[in-house]
């Protein structure tokens, strides 16, 4: 990178499209994340699109956290402990942004 800067030569960076979008300050969509992590997005979309039945969310007991790249659970909010009907859209948004 240093040589490219000193010589004024273009540097070919093959980064995934979501990385470029983040560098440009654009908002990521589930489709962007699917390009990088195909297993994670379907679960988020399932949570987002579940029928609005409050009993289902109480039986699932899903924590308001997401796994990091190292496998550790990362809390996404200090306000919520579990994913519920009322906060599921916020969870999906925060999980996408974290990921």
């Amino acid at each position: 990178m240093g040589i490219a800067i000193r010589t004024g030569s273009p540097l070919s960076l093959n980064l995934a499209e979501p990385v470029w979008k983040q560098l440009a300050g654009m908002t990521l969509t589930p489709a962007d994340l699917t390009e990088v992590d195909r297993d994670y997005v379907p679960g988020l979309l399932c949570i987002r699109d579940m029928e609005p039945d409050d009993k289902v969310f109480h039986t699932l007991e899903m924590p308001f956290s997401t796994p990091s790249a190292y496998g550790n659970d990362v809390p996404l909010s200090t306000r919520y402990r579990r994913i519920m009907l009322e906060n599921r859209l916020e969870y999906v948004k925060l999980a996408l942004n974290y990921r």
Side-chain angles (χ1 to χ4, degrees):
M1 189 183 307
I3 292 172
I5 292 171
R6 280 187 264 141
T7 62
S9 302
L11 182 62
S12 177
L13 291 175
N14 295 324
L15 299 174
E17 185 177 332
V19 175
W20 289 112
K21 284 181 84 171
Q22 283 185 309
L23 290 173
M26 298 170 70
T27 304
L28 294 178
T29 65
D32 294 325
L33 192 56
T34 301
E35 183 179 332
V36 184
D37 194 346
R38 294 186 192 278
D39 296 331
Y40 187 68
V41 175
L44 288 179
L45 296 180
C46 180
I47 291 169
R48 182 191 73 185
D49 299 335
M50 285 179 94
E51 290 295 320
D53 183 3
D54 201 28
K55 292 178 185 176
V56 172
F57 282 90
H58 284 295
T59 59
L60 292 177
E61 294 281 332
M62 297 180 291
F64 205 91
S65 62
T66 191
S68 70
Y70 299 109
N72 303 329
D73 255 4
V74 176
L76 295 176
S77 173
T78 56
R79 192 170 158 199
Y80 304 114
R81 297 185 72 221
R82 293 182 323 161
I83 302 171
M84 295 180 288
L85 184 62
E86 304 83 33
N87 64 15
R88 67 183 170 154
L89 298 178
E90 184 177 353
Y91 171 79
V92 171
K93 178 184 162 195
L94 291 172
L96 279 174
N97 286 334
Y98 176 80
R99 206 58 158 192

